[in-house]
Amino acid sequence: MAALPAVPLLINLGGSLLGFAATLTLIPAFTDHFLAARLFGEDLNKASRRPVPEAQGVISGAVFLIILFCFIPVPFLRCFVEEQCAAFPHDEFVELIGSLLAICCMIFLGFADDVLNLRWRHKLLLPTMASLPLLMVYFTNFGNTTIVVPKPFRMLLGMHLDLGILYYVYMGMLAVFCTNAINILAGINGIEAGQSLVIAASIIVFNIVELNGDYRDDHIFSLYFMIPFFFTTLGLFYHNWYPSRVFVGDTFCYFAGMTFAVVGILGHFSKTMLLFFIPQVLNFLYSLPQLFHIIPCPRHRLPRLNPGTGKLEMSYSKFKTKSLSALGANILKVVKILHVVDVRSGMDEDGEYTECNNMTLINFVIKLIGPTQERNLTLLLLLIQVLGSTIAFSIRYQLVRLFYDV
């Protein structure tokens, strides 16, 4: 794979450009089919509630898979047409096939979620099941579960630490986090595909920078996946941008998350991968009280449209005060003091009630800047994603010296 990396990468890029054109063309071509199958929803942040095709991530995902299925023999052509390899690199081949299997499973399970409207506990189980082929590939090809201990902890733990099975638990949890982190930072036009584009572009830049390093093959492997993902997602983003003509659905969120998990785990840069998820991590931490139902969580936490102004405002979760647990009441007191959540109380016909804004990064940004147009809000959140990637690169190449010998 390392002998002539330019040739496979150029072929991969050419296929990806074709995939971009195919995604642009196929999404509008299949619109009527999705509407006829009743796979559509309403854009709650628009005054006109026209049906919008959902689960369009299945189209970009299918194009992505076709590109990589056709690409499978390309990295190994030297073994077919030349005498440049002493033995066929079965380990690299297994990596490629196992990764495609995990991604394919996730697209299928994501589409099942869009069609069957599964519960949240299933959303945690599905990525875990789909990550099993990935973990088996890691076990058979690498099996290394030893990590380098950060400098501040070396006096206690030593230079290296073997995590054993805990390392596989970490990788499984990474797959679950990546898929759901994109899924919970959603609800406005273009945000799911947009944030995935920024993360993919960041990974591509990181891979290119590291091509001259010691792990060249791992980053070439990552580029084989990230380049087609970037261009197929770009085609989807074009149709999903404000005003959205299609919705990406949970299919795309699962597909994107598993693709990131695949390259992070088998490319051996899972910690750097998490750095590119800084906004998603912040959104996850901010959402924790609602995700664990310590504070009541409605099914949809997207912002609320004010028909009079045409701007998006914070959405709220309203509940009876007495239904809140002691832990929930204390959390609300703390976040109210810190001014990170808008908490209000009052009386109605059912007695005393409390309401707080839904705990998502989107609502938090609206809290900071006030009601805003949906397009401007998406742009601001994508700028935050770019800022997160800038911080990630700073940590990876500057602050890392505080923790590791580089």
Side-chain angles (χ1 to χ4, degrees):
M1 195 180 289
L4 289 171
V7 175
L9 284 173
L10 287 174
I11 294 174
N12 186 279
L13 178 60
S16 301
L17 292 172
L18 290 175
F20 169 67
T23 306
L24 275 180
T25 305
L26 289 174
I27 288 177
F30 275 84
T31 294
D32 291 339
H33 294 275
F34 278 82
L35 293 176
R38 303 190 65 80
L39 284 172
F40 62 84
E42 294 180 345
D43 195 334
L44 301 178
N45 289 329
K46 303 291 187 300
S48 60
R49 297 293 178 86
R50 61 180 178 82
V52 179
E54 283 192 297
Q56 298 300 289
V58 75
I59 295 179
S60 65
V63 173
F64 171 87
L65 288 176
I66 291 171
I67 294 169
L68 283 178
F69 286 163
C70 295
F71 181 76
I72 287 174
V74 174
F76 314 103
L77 284 178
R78 70 186 188 277
C79 292
F80 299 138
V81 299
E82 301 176 14
E83 298 296 331
Q84 293 186 8
C85 60
F88 187 83
H90 290 93
D91 56 340
E92 296 176 4
F93 185 74
V94 168
E95 276 186 51
L96 193 58
I97 298 300
S99 301
L100 287 174
L101 176 60
I103 294 171
C104 190
C105 287
M106 205 67 256
I107 293 174
F108 168 73
L109 294 173
F111 191 64
D113 186 10
D114 279 324
V115 174
L116 302 176
N117 204 13
L118 301 176
R119 292 175 174 269
W120 263 105
R121 59 175 175 266
H122 301 137
K123 296 176 188 288
L124 298 178
L125 179 64
L126 296 182
T128 305
M129 295 297 102
S131 68
L132 292 179
L134 189 62
L135 300 183
M136 283 304 301
V137 169
Y138 187 90
F139 176 76
T140 55
N141 276 14
F142 309 106
N144 182 20
T145 58
T146 301
I147 64 169
V148 178
V149 177
K151 290 179 181 180
F153 303 102
R154 287 179 185 173
M155 290 291 291
L156 180 64
L157 301 173
M159 183 72 175
H160 298 93
L161 178 65
D162 187 2
L163 295 179
I165 194 172
L166 292 178
Y167 194 76
Y168 291 94
V169 173
Y170 156 72
M171 290 189 290
M173 291 177 65
L174 178 67
V176 173
F177 173 77
C178 288
T179 52
N180 286 287
I182 295 172
N183 200 19
I184 64 175
L185 184 54
I188 56 177
N189 291 173
I191 190 63
E192 298 99 324
Q195 63 185 295
S196 300
L197 271 179
V198 175
I199 295 171
S202 303
I203 295 170
I204 290 172
V205 171
F206 172 67
N207 292 151
I208 292 173
V209 169
E210 292 292 319
L211 283 180
N212 293 323
D214 297 332
Y215 301 98
R216 179 192 190 195
D217 285 359
D218 294 332
H219 293 284
I220 292 172
F221 170 83
S222 175
L223 285 171
Y224 289 160
F225 284 83
M226 282 294 100
I227 294 173
F229 176 81
F230 178 85
F231 281 102
T232 54
T233 301
L234 186 62
L236 177 62
F237 180 68
Y238 175 80
H239 293 289
N240 185 234
W241 180 245
Y242 180 90
S244 180
R245 297 177 293 280
V246 299
F247 293 148
V248 300
D250 290 340
T251 307
F252 175 78
C253 298
Y254 288 176
F255 158 50
M258 183 54 74
T259 306
F260 294 143
V262 161
V263 299
I265 292 171
L266 297 184
H268 304 284
F269 56 90
S270 59
K271 294 188 292 294
T272 303
M273 169 69 68
L274 284 175
L275 289 177
F276 294 133
F277 276 75
I278 288 176
Q280 285 72 24
V281 170
L282 294 176
N283 181 61
F284 172 72
L285 295 175
Y286 187 55
S287 300
L288 275 177
Q290 285 193 311
L291 294 179
F292 286 96
H293 293 280
I294 300 170
I295 294 171
C297 179
R299 178 164 181 80
H300 296 293
R301 301 190 297 162
L302 68 163
R304 177 179 61 192
L305 175 68
N306 185 328
T309 62
K311 295 182 177 181
L312 297 185
E313 301 175 350
M314 289 189 294
S315 60
Y316 285 81
S317 174
K318 184 178 179 181
F319 46 88
K320 293 181 180 180
T321 303
K322 62 182 180 182
S323 68
L324 199 62
S325 66
L327 178 59
N330 287 326
I331 289 175
L332 282 185
K333 288 178 183 177
V334 172
V335 295
K336 185 176 182 180
I337 292 171
L338 295 175
H339 297 286
V340 294
V341 175
D342 184 28
V343 182
R344 302 187 296 210
S345 300
M347 297 288 295
D348 59 14
E349 62 274 7
D350 296 323
E352 186 179 5
Y353 71 87
T354 300
E355 62 178 357
C356 64
N357 66 271
N358 286 309
M359 298 177 185
T360 66
L361 183 61
I362 299 174
N363 280 308
F364 183 69
V365 169
I366 296 176
K367 177 177 171 59
L368 293 179
I369 66 173
T372 185
Q373 300 286 343
E374 184 175 1
R375 180 178 179 275
N376 296 337
L377 182 59
T378 303
L379 285 172
L380 181 56
L381 287 163
L382 294 183
L383 285 175
I384 292 173
Q385 191 73 51
V386 172
L387 177 62
S389 291
T390 304
I391 294 171
F393 280 113
S394 300
I395 294 173
R396 175 62 180 79
Y397 290 107
Q398 299 300 325
L399 294 181
V400 70
R401 292 178 174 85
L402 297 175
F403 299 95
Y404 298 100
D405 299 313
V406 293

